[in-house]
Every structure is written in C-alpha cells, then in structure tokens.
C-alpha cells in the first residue's frame, strides 16, 4: 500500500454526563480521528484511526493538539515515503521518533484498517479471535456523593453491565467502595481505579480495601513506580493491576518480573498500537497474568477495535468496553450496543464500522489534510 493523503479530523463530542477521575473532569471529549487514503491492489481504500490522547496532558504526556502536530510533522512524512506500507512495518518505520505512543497508535490503526479492508478481513479474524462477543464492564467516574454513586451504579447494573469499576482518589475511596459493596452484594464484580493518585505511604489505607473482595486495584501509585507497586503488592491481598505504567511490552515484562502487577490493563493507544497490545497480551498470558482491555472514551472506531482485541483468550476479565450510550448520545459510527452484559465483536472488514459523514461534520471543529 501507498499512503496518498491523511486527513486529521478534530471533533468535540458531548458526553452524556461529565466524567471525573483523580486527574480532573471532562465535560466533552475532544477527539482526533485520522482518515487515510491508501493506494492498494484493489484501488483507493480509506482507513480510519483514532487517537486516544486527551485534551490536556494529565493522564499521560500526550494531548490531542500535540499528537496532531507530531502526526502531521513527524509521522506522516515517514509513511508517505514508504512504498510498501503495511501495518506490521509502521512500528519499525516510526521507531526513530521517540515516544508519542498514542500518536503512533492512531497512525498504525489507519494503516491496519485500510490493509484489512483491502484484504476483506475483519480485525478479529486477523488476530485469530474466535469469540463473537466480549463481556462489557463500565467505568464509573467520581460522583458528588455516595447516594448519587449508588444511584448511578444501580442504573448500570439494571442495564446489565457485567462488571463495575469505580474511580477513586484520596478522600473518596473506602466509603464509596464500602457503600457499593453493601448495597449490591458480594456477587457484584467490582474493582477500583486510582489513576496514580496514591503513594506507598498510603499502604495502610489501601489495605482497608482488602475486605471488600475487589477484583483488583488499578494503578494506585505513579506511572514510574514499578518497584513501589511491587512493595505495595506484598502488603495488600487485593491484586494490583497496572494501567498508566505499562507503556510497552518491555515495561510489561519488567512489571511481571518484579511482581509489580498480577493483572494488566491493556490500552492499545497507550502502548503504541494494537500490534504492541497483542504482544503484551501474549507475554502476560505466557506468564499467567490476566489482562483486560481499558477504555479511553473512544468513539465507535476505537471501541470496535478494542472489542476485537478483547476477544483474544488472555482477556479473562471484563474490560471497559461499554455501549456507546455510556458516553455518547450520538456516536460517529453505528452505535455499539451492550446487551446481556456483552458487546458484539464487529465482523466486517477492517474494524468493521463505518463513519457517518454527516455526524462527523456535525461534531467537527477542524479538518486538515496532508499529502505526500
Ligand atoms: Mg485506569
């Protein structure tokens, strides 16, 4: 394949409700989508990619406008220069550019989507996935009160979500978890995500979570604190899951070897793409470490790709792949529907979803095309 043009779409998509984590509150989602036009054996084919960077550099160093700059100025020219572009070679081609995994992942997605469309193969089939649906969990942001939290969680349980994840931060941790466990019982699959908000000296406090039978506690300490996560793991019975820390298969190998993680949240954007995500899955599975697929408030494109990835056999815990309605009243692709606690894996070529041009233009706040 040969990349002929790359359009960067910036959108502002209203969220159903504000989403609060220990990093801050998002009222709407500032989205960067890539639309690549590729020359293939089967003529011109379009491939779509989604960048999961957030508007502000708070979850990670990357942010939407920064990622767009890196893609346009540094990544795209390399891809335009490649004569036989494949998804499998994108990572190597872009390796000289240090960092920027979310920008690189978005570019790789566009190439992968086009390549699979040209071949008439779904992403799930490309991965060797045999499942047709994956369990659907929901991530619940920090709420203004415990009563509101119980109401929100009850709503998701009524909808049929298979697992509940509560965002926590210092001061909003033990009480909400205790209240949810008491209200909804011991059978509820429940886990918490601290988004790096604690330090090792909080171990006595975090140990109080052990009595609530959580599936895991996600990223309690800072991104670079692998050793301290390993020390914390010795003090807690709740399994420690790493999210922000796992930036590559290499870091995942170190985390597993150190005993810093007994579970890994795989986010393809955070690790530089779906192919690296697959390598982390394989590594974790070989080491008996469970993985699940996290979410970054993706539109229908990223959500579809995540559903296929989560069909791999090592994804033994429910992920954050919820229905579109969890975040968006109107998505840019056909709505992802959660039914009976599951989301179907798309079967069409590529990521198996089509972008609606009218909805795209409705949410558009900027569009820019670069050519080789
Ligand atoms: Mg997380």
């Amino acid at each position: 394949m040969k990349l002929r043009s790359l359009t960067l779409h910036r959108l502002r998509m209203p969220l159903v409700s504000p989403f609060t984590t220990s990093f801050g509150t998002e009222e709407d989602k500032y989205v960067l989508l890539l639309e690549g036009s590729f020359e293939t054996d089967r003529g011109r084919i379009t491939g779509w990619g989604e960048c999961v960077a957030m508007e502000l550099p708070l979850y990670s160093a990357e942010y939407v406008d920064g990622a767009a700059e890196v893609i346009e100025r540094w990544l795209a020219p390399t891809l335009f220069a490649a004569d036989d572009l494949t998804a499998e070679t994108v990572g190597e081609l872009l390796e000289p550019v240090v960092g920027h995994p979310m920008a690189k992942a978005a570019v790789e997605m566009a190439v992968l989507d086009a390549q699979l469309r040209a071949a008439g193969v779904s992403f799930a089939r490309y991965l060797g996935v045999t499942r047709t649906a994956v369990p659907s969990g929901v991530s619940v942001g920090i709420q203004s009160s415990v009563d509101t939290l119980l109401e929100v969680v009850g709503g998701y349980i009524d909808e049929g979500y298979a697992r509940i994840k509560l965002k926590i931060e210092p001061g909003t941790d033990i009480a909400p978890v205790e209240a949810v466990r008491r209200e909804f019982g011991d059978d509820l699959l429940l886990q918490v995500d601290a988004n790096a908000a604690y330090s090792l000296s909080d171990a006595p406090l975090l140990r109080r979570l052990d009595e609530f039978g959580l599936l895991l506690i996600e990223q309690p300490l800072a991104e670079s604190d692998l050793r301290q996560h390993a020390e914390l793991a010795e003090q807690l019975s709740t399994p420690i899951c790493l999210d922000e820390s796992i930036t590559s298969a290499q870091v995942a190998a170190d985390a597993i070897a150190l005993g810093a993680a007994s579970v890994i949240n795989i986010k393809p954007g955070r690790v530089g793409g779906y192919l690296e995500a697959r390598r982390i899955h394989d590594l974790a599975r070989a080491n008996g470490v469970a993985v699940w697929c996290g979410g970054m408030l993706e539109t229908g494109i990223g959500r579809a790709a995540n559903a296929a990835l989560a069909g791999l056999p090592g994804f033994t815990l429910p992920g954050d792949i919820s229905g579109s309605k969890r975040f968006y009243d109107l998505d840019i692709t056909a709505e992802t529907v959660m039914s009976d606690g599951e989301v179907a894996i798309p079967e069409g070529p590529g990521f198996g979803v089509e972008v609606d041009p009218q909805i795209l233009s409705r949410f558009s706040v900027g569009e820019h095309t670069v050519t080789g």
Side-chain angles (χ1 to χ4, degrees), residues 8-353:
L8 291 82
H9 296 273
R10 286 171 166 91
L11 319 178
R12 261 198 196 281
M13 294 178 60
L15 292 173
V16 169
S17 58
F19 189 60
T20 301
T21 70
S22 59
F23 290 127
T25 299
E26 283 175 280
E27 304 278 347
D28 58 14
K29 170 77 173 159
Y30 187 35
V31 177
L32 175 63
L33 299 181
L34 301 181
E35 180 184 14
S37 180
F38 299 83
E39 206 171 290
T40 76
D41 293 344
R42 297 186 47 198
R44 281 288 183 117
I45 300 243
T46 297
W48 286 90
E50 175 166 358
C51 182
V52 299
M54 294 166 78
E55 183 164 8
L56 305 174
L58 301 179
Y59 169 85
S60 71
E62 291 182 276
Y63 61 102
V64 169
D65 288 336
E69 158 89 4
V70 166
I71 290 166
E72 185 175 340
R73 195 161 162 200
W74 302 107
L75 307 186
T78 303
L79 299 189
F80 281 124
D83 285 326
D84 187 17
L85 189 57
T86 63
E88 295 79 9
T89 52
V90 169
E92 199 178 331
L93 286 170
L94 301 182
E95 205 174 0
V97 175
V98 176
H100 303 287
M102 293 176 180
K104 290 176 177 176
V107 169
E108 186 194 83
M109 272 184 89
V111 178
L112 183 58
D113 188 36
Q115 177 175 319
L116 295 176
R117 283 173 188 271
V121 171
S122 72
F123 184 39
R125 201 176 124 209
Y126 171 82
L127 290 170
V129 164
T130 54
R131 276 191 248 177
T132 57
V134 292
S136 175
V138 66
S139 176
V140 183
I142 293 165
Q143 305 295 317
S144 54
S145 71
V146 167
D147 285 345
T148 310
L149 175 68
L150 293 177
E151 199 176 305
V152 169
V153 170
Y156 289 133
I157 293 172
D158 289 346
E159 282 182 56
Y161 277 104
R163 176 277 268 156
I164 299 288
K165 164 169 132 179
L166 306 180
K167 293 286 189 180
I168 60 169
E169 64 180 355
T172 313
D173 38 35
I174 309 298
V177 172
E178 183 176 26
V180 168
R181 190 49 101 199
R182 191 176 345 107
E183 180 78 10
F184 302 105
D186 291 341
D187 290 340
L188 174 68
L189 297 183
L190 183 64
Q191 64 193 54
V192 295
D193 184 1
N195 285 114
Y198 295 85
S199 63
L200 188 55
S201 59
D202 293 315
L205 169 80
L206 295 173
R207 202 158 47 223
R208 291 174 58 197
L209 291 170
D210 283 348
E211 68 178 285
F212 303 118
L214 300 176
L215 289 168
L216 55 92
I217 176 171
E218 186 179 343
Q219 196 71 40
L221 313 180
E223 179 179 324
S224 58
D225 283 347
L226 284 188
R227 180 185 56 78
Q228 294 187 35
H229 274 107
E231 287 183 26
L232 181 64
E234 295 198 345
Q235 300 183 50
L236 304 186
S237 62
T238 305
I240 289 185
C241 168
L242 291 182
D243 173 0
E244 285 89 333
S245 292
I246 305 297
T247 50
S248 65
Q250 190 182 341
V251 174
D254 285 350
I256 292 169
L258 281 168
S262 49
V263 182
I264 291 175
N265 169 352
I266 297 183
K267 285 179 179 163
R270 195 194 58 225
V271 304
Y274 283 86
L275 303 188
E276 185 74 353
R278 205 257 154 81
R279 286 188 278 274
I280 295 174
H281 160 273
D282 294 348
L283 171 80
R285 190 166 184 235
N287 281 280
V289 166
V291 302
W292 54 280
C293 186
M296 295 286 287
L297 284 63
E298 287 91 345
T299 71
I301 301 171
R303 196 176 295 274
N306 284 349
L309 179 75
L312 286 169
F315 285 81
T316 53
L317 292 169
D320 280 342
I321 308 161
S322 42
S324 303
K325 288 268 186 282
R326 159 69 185 91
F327 292 111
Y328 305 109
D329 276 329
L330 190 59
D331 205 339
I332 54 150
T333 64
E335 183 189 336
T336 306
V337 178
M338 188 281 296
S339 161
D340 287 336
E342 289 190 329
V343 165
I345 298 173
E347 294 172 351
F351 299 130
V353 287

